[in-house]
Amino acid sequence: MSSVLDWEATPNPVKENRAGNIGKAVDRYEGPLKVTGTAPYAYEVEPPSPPDYGVMLSAPIAKGRITAIDTKAAEASPGVQLVWTYKNAPKQGPRPERYDFFTPSPRPALESDQVYYFGQQVAVVVADTLENAQAGAALVELSFEAAPQSVIFSDHYDEADQPPGESDIEIGDFETGFAEAPVQIDDIWRTPLQNHCQMEPCATTAWWDGDQLTVHTSVQMVRFAQNSLAETLMVPHKNVRLLTRYVGGGFGGKGSFYEDLVLASLAARELGRPVKIAFSRQQMMHGTVHRPATEQRVRLGATEDGHLTAMSIMTTTHCDRRGNFTEHASNFARNLYAAPNRLTGHRLVRLDLPVASAMRAPGEASGTLSLEVAMDELAEKLGMDPMELRILNEPPTDPETGKPFSIRQLVRCMREGAQQFGWDRRNPKPGQVRDGRWHMGLGMAAAIRGNFLLPAKASFTVDADGVITVKQGMTDIGTGTYTVLAQIAAETLGVPLGDVRVEIGDSELPPAPGSGGQFGAATAGSAALDAGMNLRKAIAEIAVNDQASPLYGGPSEDITFQDGVIAISNRSERLSELIRRNRPEGLTADGEVRPAADAAKWSSHTYGAHFVEVAVDTVTGEVRTRRMLGVFAAGRILNWKTARSQLTGGMIWGVGSALTEGNVVDARYGSLINQDLAGYLVPVQADIGELDAIMLDEVDDKANPMGIKGVGELGISGAGAAVANAIYNACGVRVRDYPITPDKVLAALEAQGR
Amino acid sequence: MRPFTYERAADAASAVKAATETPNARFVAGGTNLLDLMKLEIETPTHLIDVGRLPMAGIEETAEGGLRIGAMATNSHVAADARVRSRYPVLTQAIVSGGSGQLRNKATTGGNLLQRTRCAYFYDTAKPCNKRAPGSGCGALEGLNRNSAIFGASHACIATHPSDMAVAMVALGASVEVLSPSGGARSFPLMELHRLPAERPDVDTHLVPGELITAVVLPPPPKGGQIYRKVRDRASYSAGLASVAIAGGQVALGAVAHKPWRAAEAEAALGAGASPAEAIAAELANASENGRNGFKINLVRRLVPAAIEEARSNWAEKNGSVA
Ligand SMILES: Cc1cc2nc3c(=O)[nH]c(=O)nc-3n(C[C@H](O)[C@H](O)[C@H](O)COP(=O)(O)OP(=O)(O)OC[C@H]3O[C@@H](n4cnc5c(N)ncnc54)[C@H](O)[C@@H]3O)c2cc1C
Ligand code: SF4
């Protein structure tokens, strides 16, 4: 269909939800496998014959070149099968000038003697056992010559440039509007470099059968990785079968792929045996990608009664020398609050650091940490409640483009959250509430994250047992894809959930873009719905033409699908019986979704509001979250349980961003100080306290045929700002340099003479 | 990880003998520290002597009215012991503030005392570190040393000892019992187990090679309140930025030095009637910073008086008088 209006007007089983599968808190489809340790992740997949094991070596300098290599001792080490450096690595497709997420292109490993960042993979040792590979790796001798490096972001602000192809967006006249505003906020916020820290490090098991390669790996985008790998190996796309059935967390960090995939494939070809290679936790920190640091200047101008007249957020961020990624921390502000004069934009600094890329809610996650605190500061200056300030500046149409909203329930999220959380108990004066040695404070912030739909395909098969099999080259990165696809299938074909099988994570299946940008469920699910509808039609067609069927003669449009039974009023039979008679080998239908041609006529986002209670120990500067509530409006919810888990997971990450998470670059080495999960602090259970997410009833019929939207990235957006605002309310201290660690809180308290 | 051989010790004496006679051998108890270090090739022993199953996991009363804690008693076991909880609450609090439940179930008393520093440069084998590679330099000295020592550091090493348990034990005036290669047993104050880095940060303790810790002995609890307070970036499963153990008038600090730091100056000042704030100021007269860890001096200045007051008021509440 080419118009969202058609989606809106056309009923379908997901919308009707007769059997009630949609929205239900269905347990994870693959949950039992995961909790019993029987879901094979990429490294654990058993290849057809005993594998060899590879261990990679990483550069100890940030920039320079490899000057000498001695692999003799390693090659002579017990069990070692091969040792590769740039000198003897097989020829691979050439790296493109710039690469992005969606255009497949070669990603050669061990390319040259050049080192572009600390931790770049520079050698691989493959041996018969992991232990022998590790022992061999310890014997590889590499010498390096370091070149002058630029690694400290704040030392290079002066080199910041407009990201290629972008320009600032100004509406009205920001400078004048701001200058004339009687009430102003003008502050700078800093967010640190962050690592994804997925539970499962990147890993690959690869083997060849003639010229056919099979790889099990851990990535978010099946087709992209398959095609890029083929181009790296310089073989036809079809010669590569890539599987990624279980992914232990992606968060954007597995949007691309890394040397484990390339080197395992090459080594398996060279040795004629399967090869397994995994990143170590330490290698994950440097050798994959990270969310880059930002510096954000926020300026707000308002009238005395709280109407925003000028609003600007300008972000400076960094990426690697060869990359092209911009952390668009200013973008979300274009759609959030009304203000006639607006200025947003980005500046990019190139550094000799590892590759910058997308991490959960790229842009929003960092950007809300400034603007949503600036709003709190403005509310205080105005003597207003921070939530009422936001509501006062709620725009009737998209504040930047003037487009109508597809649906926008931000105010309802705030009002509902305020009521459930007890926002009215907040004392606007900081530092007034104590619980023993803890100072208690409440804070809130708004959440917004864009909504996207990409092209995707899917196929549905019904077999002679009436079992529906969903097939799609989609991934489940821990988000619940398996489960929601099963729910859509059960609802669409009217079969019990237990009669649905889901096959995903395989490049041989109908392609879907994968998981990222919180477009997964909407994109994959809409294609699945279409396949299901086509299968319904095909089944109906067979039934009304089958003289042996009670449904013979139709009318086919009156057929209902329920509990595995197809019926026209009181004429019915089991779906399995029909298929057994007519298509004992099974019946398959394909489906697809494409973005509607007129989708861009609406401003389509997901929204939410966060409410947080924190406790601050003003003796030590420690901050602990006590209570957190998020209320979200994100279209129709497919699965209450998996959606809520995505939202609360995001909120927890927001707590981490506010309080603990970040990495710091050592200026001398260009390396990151935190290289494991004892040093890189993500929140633990004890950091979180009470936590809940509420999802408002909503249908966004302009988003896609099911009226659903994404939730994977919404929960993190704004959560950290609510924590920062609560800290201020607790103790009267604003720290604008994240994360807000005890040392920074103490310094701020001491600066106030406390 | 480098290849190594392994044996399980039959008894303490043969463990010590094997450690003395086998080159590059190490004891392993819970393995929660040593195995991590071996995987990262920070430690590369070629032989492991497993002492974890030696029958030294008991906790017994001593004639003096204290407790003898066997070196193989796990951290969880010690923290949960009813006698420890009622008479040495500071020790239980310290232990449970460390690591995670899983780690404490494996970690032993002896191994906890001998765990190595969490200095990030020690952990990154691409970096200089005098503790890991003597003579290579100290990566932390001019580096990201936010969590380094403020007491007793040297130009060769500014690392801290990360144990929480040991800080409480030092405040309690514990002593250590060891079995020596000579075959003799010796006992000495726990305070004297760890050394300051000086020119040899690669040597953490005063133990002679092959010596096996067999027990930690707690004297009867001192009169007065006890408390352990650990300040950290996250609520659990995190190294301390600074910690303090109070046991009556005895004060020890954690995460501030190459060893659990008995705050002798502060104790003396308290004994002479100084206020908690004055007492810690006296201790901090000897503190110094390394560029990024200066906040720890302020933190200790604020934390310790608060902890002393809290210990006193706990004691007063329980006993109806101020100690
Ligand atoms: C992620 C993480 C977080 C942690 N957080 C904390 C924390 O917050 N606070 C804290 O205090 N600790 C923390 N720890 C450290 C933990 O407490 C130690 O790893 C543990 O106590 C070591 O005990 P073990 O028995 O496992 O020692 P092992 O690893 O077996 O041994 C450690 C060392 O002691 C030697 N050794 C062991 N027993 C003896 C003996 N009887 N005689 C002589 N030598 C011996 C070994 O040779 C080795 O050198 C943490 C550890 C990890 C991995
Ligand atoms: S402080 Fe000590 S442990 Fe850390 S790098 Fe320096 S010498 Fe090594």
Side-chain angles (χ1 to χ4, degrees), chain B residues 6-34:
Chain B
Y6 170 92
E7 73 179 277
R8 187 180 292 173
D11 54 52
S14 56
V16 172
K17 187 159 179 288
T20 318
E21 287 172 0
T22 326
N24 202 13
R26 299 292 298 275
F27 297 126
V28 62
T32 61
N33 190 223
L34 183 59

mmCIF file of all heavy atoms in Angstrom, chain B residues 6-34:
data_model
loop_
_atom_site.group_PDB
_atom_site.id
_atom_site.type_symbol
_atom_site.label_atom_id
_atom_site.label_comp_id
_atom_site.label_asym_id
_atom_site.label_seq_id
_atom_site.Cartn_x
_atom_site.Cartn_y
_atom_site.Cartn_z
ATOM 1 N N TYR B 6 48.796 -28.644 37.770
ATOM 2 C CA TYR B 6 47.894 -28.452 38.905
ATOM 3 C C TYR B 6 48.000 -29.641 39.849
ATOM 4 O O TYR B 6 48.114 -30.788 39.410
ATOM 5 C CB TYR B 6 46.476 -28.356 38.354
ATOM 6 C CG TYR B 6 45.361 -28.398 39.375
ATOM 7 C CD1 TYR B 6 44.846 -27.231 39.928
ATOM 8 C CD2 TYR B 6 44.815 -29.631 39.778
ATOM 9 C CE1 TYR B 6 43.816 -27.286 40.858
ATOM 10 C CE2 TYR B 6 43.788 -29.682 40.707
ATOM 11 C CZ TYR B 6 43.291 -28.506 41.238
ATOM 12 O OH TYR B 6 42.262 -28.561 42.152
ATOM 13 N N GLU B 7 47.978 -29.370 41.126
ATOM 14 C CA GLU B 7 47.851 -30.453 42.106
ATOM 15 C C GLU B 7 46.925 -30.010 43.219
ATOM 16 O O GLU B 7 46.809 -28.811 43.511
ATOM 17 C CB GLU B 7 49.213 -30.841 42.702
ATOM 18 C CG GLU B 7 49.774 -29.810 43.673
ATOM 19 C CD GLU B 7 51.120 -30.248 44.247
ATOM 20 O OE1 GLU B 7 51.124 -31.027 45.218
ATOM 21 O OE2 GLU B 7 52.162 -29.793 43.705
ATOM 22 N N ARG B 8 46.281 -30.981 43.839
ATOM 23 C CA ARG B 8 45.447 -30.659 44.988
ATOM 24 C C ARG B 8 46.212 -31.074 46.243
ATOM 25 O O ARG B 8 46.601 -32.237 46.361
ATOM 26 C CB ARG B 8 44.116 -31.398 44.898
ATOM 27 C CG ARG B 8 43.169 -30.962 45.987
ATOM 28 C CD ARG B 8 41.855 -31.693 45.884
ATOM 29 N NE ARG B 8 41.123 -31.295 44.692
ATOM 30 C CZ ARG B 8 40.004 -31.895 44.297
ATOM 31 N NH1 ARG B 8 39.512 -32.924 44.972
ATOM 32 N NH2 ARG B 8 39.375 -31.480 43.213
ATOM 33 N N ALA B 9 46.432 -30.109 47.135
ATOM 34 C CA ALA B 9 47.240 -30.386 48.325
ATOM 35 C C ALA B 9 46.509 -31.342 49.253
ATOM 36 O O ALA B 9 45.308 -31.215 49.474
ATOM 37 C CB ALA B 9 47.545 -29.083 49.053
ATOM 38 N N ALA B 10 47.278 -32.303 49.806
ATOM 39 C CA ALA B 10 46.688 -33.279 50.731
ATOM 40 C C ALA B 10 46.549 -32.672 52.122
ATOM 41 O O ALA B 10 45.580 -32.919 52.839
ATOM 42 C CB ALA B 10 47.553 -34.527 50.790
ATOM 43 N N ASP B 11 47.524 -31.906 52.516
ATOM 44 C CA ASP B 11 47.466 -31.235 53.817
ATOM 45 C C ASP B 11 48.318 -29.974 53.748
ATOM 46 O O ASP B 11 49.034 -29.749 52.764
ATOM 47 C CB ASP B 11 47.945 -32.171 54.938
ATOM 48 C CG ASP B 11 49.316 -32.737 54.632
ATOM 49 O OD1 ASP B 11 50.234 -31.946 54.339
ATOM 50 O OD2 ASP B 11 49.449 -33.987 54.642
ATOM 51 N N ALA B 12 48.251 -29.191 54.802
ATOM 52 C CA ALA B 12 48.913 -27.890 54.785
ATOM 53 C C ALA B 12 50.422 -28.028 54.605
ATOM 54 O O ALA B 12 51.048 -27.300 53.830
ATOM 55 C CB ALA B 12 48.586 -27.128 56.067
ATOM 56 N N ALA B 13 50.999 -28.986 55.327
ATOM 57 C CA ALA B 13 52.457 -29.125 55.274
ATOM 58 C C ALA B 13 52.922 -29.472 53.861
ATOM 59 O O ALA B 13 53.897 -28.895 53.362
ATOM 60 C CB ALA B 13 52.906 -30.187 56.280
ATOM 61 N N SER B 14 52.203 -30.380 53.214
ATOM 62 C CA SER B 14 52.667 -30.747 51.871
ATOM 63 C C SER B 14 52.390 -29.616 50.879
ATOM 64 O O SER B 14 53.113 -29.461 49.892
ATOM 65 C CB SER B 14 52.062 -32.080 51.406
ATOM 66 O OG SER B 14 50.656 -32.020 51.469
ATOM 67 N N ALA B 15 51.376 -28.816 51.149
ATOM 68 C CA ALA B 15 51.137 -27.655 50.277
ATOM 69 C C ALA B 15 52.324 -26.696 50.343
ATOM 70 O O ALA B 15 52.832 -26.229 49.318
ATOM 71 C CB ALA B 15 49.851 -26.935 50.701
ATOM 72 N N VAL B 16 52.769 -26.445 51.561
ATOM 73 C CA VAL B 16 53.898 -25.523 51.735
ATOM 74 C C VAL B 16 55.154 -26.110 51.102
ATOM 75 O O VAL B 16 55.922 -25.413 50.431
ATOM 76 C CB VAL B 16 54.116 -25.223 53.241
ATOM 77 C CG1 VAL B 16 55.402 -24.439 53.460
ATOM 78 C CG2 VAL B 16 52.916 -24.446 53.791
ATOM 79 N N LYS B 17 55.320 -27.403 51.276
ATOM 80 C CA LYS B 17 56.500 -28.066 50.721
ATOM 81 C C LYS B 17 56.479 -27.938 49.191
ATOM 82 O O LYS B 17 57.471 -27.551 48.572
ATOM 83 C CB LYS B 17 56.480 -29.542 51.134
ATOM 84 C CG LYS B 17 57.717 -30.327 50.773
ATOM 85 C CD LYS B 17 57.799 -31.584 51.661
ATOM 86 C CE LYS B 17 59.018 -32.440 51.329
ATOM 87 N NZ LYS B 17 58.895 -33.149 50.052
ATOM 88 N N ALA B 18 55.339 -28.244 48.608
ATOM 89 C CA ALA B 18 55.237 -28.172 47.149
ATOM 90 C C ALA B 18 55.484 -26.746 46.666
ATOM 91 O O ALA B 18 56.179 -26.524 45.662
ATOM 92 C CB ALA B 18 53.861 -28.648 46.698
ATOM 93 N N ALA B 19 54.957 -25.770 47.404
ATOM 94 C CA ALA B 19 55.120 -24.369 46.990
ATOM 95 C C ALA B 19 56.582 -23.954 47.070
ATOM 96 O O ALA B 19 57.054 -23.134 46.285
ATOM 97 C CB ALA B 19 54.261 -23.467 47.868
ATOM 98 N N THR B 20 57.282 -24.516 48.013
ATOM 99 C CA THR B 20 58.686 -24.148 48.187
ATOM 100 C C THR B 20 59.558 -24.831 47.140
ATOM 101 O O THR B 20 60.519 -24.255 46.642
ATOM 102 C CB THR B 20 59.153 -24.550 49.605
ATOM 103 O OG1 THR B 20 58.125 -24.228 50.525
ATOM 104 C CG2 THR B 20 60.421 -23.811 49.979
ATOM 105 N N GLU B 21 59.179 -26.053 46.806
ATOM 106 C CA GLU B 21 60.068 -26.834 45.940
ATOM 107 C C GLU B 21 59.781 -26.644 44.453
ATOM 108 O O GLU B 21 60.670 -26.859 43.629
ATOM 109 C CB GLU B 21 59.948 -28.330 46.297
ATOM 110 C CG GLU B 21 60.632 -28.610 47.630
ATOM 111 C CD GLU B 21 60.369 -30.027 48.136
ATOM 112 O OE1 GLU B 21 59.645 -30.776 47.435
ATOM 113 O OE2 GLU B 21 60.874 -30.366 49.221
ATOM 114 N N THR B 22 58.555 -26.272 44.098
ATOM 115 C CA THR B 22 58.239 -26.139 42.674
ATOM 116 C C THR B 22 58.469 -24.694 42.240
ATOM 117 O O THR B 22 57.910 -23.779 42.834
ATOM 118 C CB THR B 22 56.757 -26.498 42.412
ATOM 119 O OG1 THR B 22 56.380 -27.521 43.314
ATOM 120 C CG2 THR B 22 56.524 -26.919 40.978
ATOM 121 N N PRO B 23 59.267 -24.505 41.210
ATOM 122 C CA PRO B 23 59.474 -23.119 40.772
ATOM 123 C C PRO B 23 58.185 -22.529 40.198
ATOM 124 O O PRO B 23 57.408 -23.248 39.560
ATOM 125 C CB PRO B 23 60.566 -23.231 39.695
ATOM 126 C CG PRO B 23 60.694 -24.673 39.371
ATOM 127 C CD PRO B 23 60.050 -25.486 40.452
ATOM 128 N N ASN B 24 58.004 -21.243 40.425
ATOM 129 C CA ASN B 24 56.873 -20.507 39.848
ATOM 130 C C ASN B 24 55.518 -21.138 40.183
ATOM 131 O O ASN B 24 54.640 -21.203 39.346
ATOM 132 C CB ASN B 24 57.056 -20.373 38.333
ATOM 133 C CG ASN B 24 56.253 -19.219 37.763
ATOM 134 O OD1 ASN B 24 55.760 -18.374 38.520
ATOM 135 N ND2 ASN B 24 56.086 -19.199 36.467
ATOM 136 N N ALA B 25 55.412 -21.631 41.423
ATOM 137 C CA ALA B 25 54.145 -22.235 41.854
ATOM 138 C C ALA B 25 53.342 -21.226 42.666
ATOM 139 O O ALA B 25 53.909 -20.300 43.255
ATOM 140 C CB ALA B 25 54.422 -23.471 42.693
ATOM 141 N N ARG B 26 52.029 -21.404 42.668
ATOM 142 C CA ARG B 26 51.171 -20.537 43.477
ATOM 143 C C ARG B 26 50.090 -21.374 44.124
ATOM 144 O O ARG B 26 49.642 -22.365 43.561
ATOM 145 C CB ARG B 26 50.490 -19.473 42.586
ATOM 146 C CG ARG B 26 51.450 -18.558 41.884
ATOM 147 C CD ARG B 26 52.177 -17.659 42.855
ATOM 148 N NE ARG B 26 51.246 -16.790 43.555
ATOM 149 C CZ ARG B 26 50.827 -15.629 43.066
ATOM 150 N NH1 ARG B 26 51.266 -15.212 41.916
ATOM 151 N NH2 ARG B 26 49.978 -14.899 43.742
ATOM 152 N N PHE B 27 49.663 -20.893 45.298
ATOM 153 C CA PHE B 27 48.474 -21.488 45.892
ATOM 154 C C PHE B 27 47.252 -20.958 45.153
ATOM 155 O O PHE B 27 47.233 -19.820 44.701
ATOM 156 C CB PHE B 27 48.319 -21.076 47.364
ATOM 157 C CG PHE B 27 49.439 -21.563 48.243
ATOM 158 C CD1 PHE B 27 50.145 -20.659 49.046
ATOM 159 C CD2 PHE B 27 49.783 -22.906 48.304
ATOM 160 C CE1 PHE B 27 51.167 -21.095 49.867
ATOM 161 C CE2 PHE B 27 50.805 -23.351 49.131
ATOM 162 C CZ PHE B 27 51.504 -22.440 49.909
ATOM 163 N N VAL B 28 46.235 -21.792 45.087
ATOM 164 C CA VAL B 28 44.941 -21.276 44.645
ATOM 165 C C VAL B 28 43.904 -21.746 45.655
ATOM 166 O O VAL B 28 43.922 -22.894 46.083
ATOM 167 C CB VAL B 28 44.600 -21.718 43.200
ATOM 168 C CG1 VAL B 28 44.499 -23.240 43.083
ATOM 169 C CG2 VAL B 28 43.301 -21.064 42.728
ATOM 170 N N ALA B 29 43.040 -20.820 46.061
ATOM 171 C CA ALA B 29 41.988 -21.186 47.024
ATOM 172 C C ALA B 29 40.645 -21.089 46.302
ATOM 173 O O ALA B 29 40.279 -21.988 45.553
ATOM 174 C CB ALA B 29 42.070 -20.273 48.244
ATOM 175 N N GLY B 30 39.917 -19.983 46.443
ATOM 176 C CA GLY B 30 38.667 -19.836 45.691
ATOM 177 C C GLY B 30 38.919 -19.598 44.209
ATOM 178 O O GLY B 30 38.070 -19.870 43.360
ATOM 179 N N GLY B 31 40.071 -19.054 43.897
ATOM 180 C CA GLY B 31 40.431 -18.800 42.504
ATOM 181 C C GLY B 31 39.784 -17.572 41.899
ATOM 182 O O GLY B 31 39.997 -17.267 40.728
ATOM 183 N N THR B 32 39.023 -16.851 42.681
ATOM 184 C CA THR B 32 38.265 -15.733 42.095
ATOM 185 C C THR B 32 39.168 -14.574 41.684
ATOM 186 O O THR B 32 38.792 -13.760 40.849
ATOM 187 C CB THR B 32 37.197 -15.199 43.055
ATOM 188 O OG1 THR B 32 37.844 -14.724 44.239
ATOM 189 C CG2 THR B 32 36.182 -16.270 43.419
ATOM 190 N N ASN B 33 40.329 -14.495 42.252
ATOM 191 C CA ASN B 33 41.257 -13.446 41.846
ATOM 192 C C ASN B 33 42.361 -14.022 40.958
ATOM 193 O O ASN B 33 42.616 -13.539 39.864
ATOM 194 C CB ASN B 33 41.852 -12.766 43.078
ATOM 195 C CG ASN B 33 42.629 -11.500 42.722
ATOM 196 O OD1 ASN B 33 43.696 -11.268 43.236
ATOM 197 N ND2 ASN B 33 42.088 -10.691 41.825
ATOM 198 N N LEU B 34 42.961 -15.089 41.425
ATOM 199 C CA LEU B 34 44.113 -15.631 40.697
ATOM 200 C C LEU B 34 43.745 -16.081 39.275
ATOM 201 O O LEU B 34 44.476 -15.804 38.326
ATOM 202 C CB LEU B 34 44.718 -16.802 41.492
ATOM 203 C CG LEU B 34 45.981 -17.403 40.876
ATOM 204 C CD1 LEU B 34 47.082 -16.353 40.744
ATOM 205 C CD2 LEU B 34 46.468 -18.598 41.685
#
